[in-house]
Each structure stands twice: as C-alpha cells, then as structure tokens.
Amino acid sequence: DAGVIQSPRHEVTEMGQEVTLRCKPISGHDYLFWYRQTMMRGLELLIYFNNNVPIDDSGMPEDRFSAKMPNASFSTLKIQPSEPRDSAVYFCASTKQQGQGGNTIYFGEGSWLTVV
Amino acid sequence: AQSVTQLGSHVSVSEGALVLLRCNYSSSVPPYLFWYVQYPNQGLQLLLKYTTGATLVKGINGFEAEFKKSETSFHLTKPSAHMSDAAEYFCAVSDQAGGSYIPTFGRGTSLIVHP
C-alpha cells in the first residue's frame, strides 16, 4: 500500500509568493494532519481533519495559512503571502481511528520549504 | 491535558554502547505511548507503542520501552547502539481527554552514535 504522498518535496520561493503544498493520505484513513517542523519550535501540529472536516486549526500560525480537504484523498496547505519565517519542513500525516485509540500515525516524507 | 517531556535534546553514545532516551508524560487518564524515529531527510515512522497489556514493549531494530505508571515514564532503550541508529527520536502520548486521541509529541532527542 502506498504511504502518505506529499508534493513538492522541495520548494524555494520568494517572499510574498503563494505556496501550495499537497498531500494524498493513505487510502481508508479518516484523519489527516498537517505538521510543521523547525529547529526552533520542533514539531507543531497546525491543523487536522476528520472525514474531510477541519476539527482543530488552533495551531495555524496566522491568517496567511489556510488548509483544505475537498475529498478523502487530497488536502492542501496554502501560505499566502509567504515570509522567510515560514521556511520549514511541512509534514502531512494520516491515520485511521480504530477502537479505543493508540492508532499509529503515518507521515509523509515532508515538503521542504525555503522562502527567500 | 497531556504533555511529554524528553530529557536531553541530544544524546551521544559510542557504537556498541547502551542507548537510553528518556521520556516522561503527563496524562489525566491511562495513556497510549509511542516512540517515533525520524531518519535524516525523512518523515517520522513508528518505532513502538504501548496501548494496553504488557508494560515492556518491543519495537523494530532492537529497541524496547517500558511503561512505568508510578514514574509516568516511557524510556526507550537498546542494548547496543549501531551507527544506523543515528536519528531523531520522538516520544508521544495520547489519551481520550476531550474525546480525541490526537497525540502530543515531545521536542525530540537527537541520537548521535560515534564509531
């Protein structure tokens, strides 16, 4: 079974440009997560979806960030306009809620974003 | 509310030496506990997890962890380090508080293995 697929793997963009990161979760998974990883702040949960519905976006840093999940097999994280401090690795992850918890979260390989 | 503390952002060992990565958690209800590993330029992947039952959990690549409720700990160990174990290790906890099983991750511990 294919894992979580993210694109692009690497992106370098200029400050002020729009950035769109894409994610295809594992088929059959009902939860999707977007994380950001930086040296300074570690791994941060930005937003997560359950059955395509955003449940908690309290981790989204500001209005420049938005995320959508139009269907069960696709999600986007958009930054508009981008700033140098947005440079980070962005991970998409998914899981299937089963039983009483303890579900494994499956991570993509990440999108490495550099804003210059 | 759940939280995780990983003691030591970096741990350095010699090849063949014991690996010990510390994790303490805070949870108001019985927790689910995880260790994930992140190799360079990759995403996180599950190393092992505790849900219920036996408190000593064995994972991949010879790693194991023991759930100690009295100490609220879930330390990760490996008897003999290998160069390929060099990676970032994340402890995570989840519980049913608030009706959600969304895990909270620690800040991570970078394992450095010297030849």
Side-chain angles (χ1 to χ4, degrees):
Chain A
D1 191 12
V4 176
I5 300 172
Q6 293 187 244
S7 65
R9 287 298 314 277
H10 299 272
E11 175 139 355
V12 179
T13 191
E14 292 186 346
M15 182 174 63
Q17 296 298 305
E18 178 179 291
V19 174
T20 299
L21 308 178
R22 299 173 177 79
C23 175
K24 176 179 170 56
I26 293 173
S27 177
H29 283 191
D30 53 356
Y31 279 82
L32 182 140
F33 308 87
W34 283 101
Y35 289 90
R36 179 173 68 176
Q37 185 179 35
T38 61
M39 290 289 289
M40 290 293 292
R41 302 174 70 92
L43 191 67
E44 302 174 274
L45 176 62
L46 301 178
I47 184 172
Y48 75 91
F49 297 82
N50 179 216
N51 292 322
N52 313 337
V53 176
I55 303 301
D56 185 355
D57 66 354
S58 60
M60 297 285 261
E62 47 197 275
D63 292 344
R64 297 185 297 106
F65 286 69
S66 63
K68 294 182 180 180
M69 192 167 185
N71 58 63
S73 59
F74 183 67
S75 178
T76 60
L77 178 67
K78 187 173 293 186
I79 309 172
Q80 167 63 19
S82 58
E83 297 183 2
R85 59 191 169 125
D86 302 330
S87 298
V89 185
Y90 292 83
F91 288 103
C92 178
S94 69
T95 191
K96 181 174 177 59
Q97 187 67 48
Q98 294 175 319
Q100 295 300 308
N103 310 297
T104 299
I105 294 182
Y106 295 86
F107 285 76
E109 293 194 323
S111 291
W112 298 68
L113 174 65
T114 302
V115 183
V116 298
Chain B
Q2 59 198 27
S3 66
V4 176
T5 302
Q6 291 185 240
L7 296 176
S9 59
H10 295 82
V11 169
S12 181
V13 300
S14 298
E15 191 173 20
L18 171 71
V19 175
L20 171 60
L21 304 183
R22 300 178 185 274
C23 173
N24 288 89
Y25 69 91
S26 171
S27 175
S28 59
V29 298
Y32 300 102
L33 297 161
F34 309 80
W35 276 100
Y36 284 81
V37 60
Q38 183 182 26
Y39 297 106
N41 302 320
Q42 295 185 24
L44 283 70
Q45 61 185 105
L46 183 71
L47 198 56
L48 52 80
K49 66 180 177 182
Y50 168 79
T51 53
T52 59
T55 56
L56 182 62
V57 181
K58 295 186 184 298
I60 61 173
N61 300 335
F63 283 92
E64 62 182 34
E66 186 171 11
F67 168 52
K68 292 187 176 181
K69 183 178 179 180
S70 61
E71 299 178 6
T72 61
S73 69
F74 191 58
H75 302 330
L76 182 70
T77 61
K78 182 175 180 177
S80 177
H82 192 271
M83 295 295 291
S84 61
D85 294 327
E88 189 86 11
Y89 292 80
F90 293 87
C91 183
V93 61
S94 70
D95 60 36
Q96 200 184 356
S100 166
Y101 295 101
I102 306 305
T104 298
F105 285 85
R107 287 297 305 269
T109 298
S110 178
L111 178 64
I112 302 162
V113 183
H114 297 286

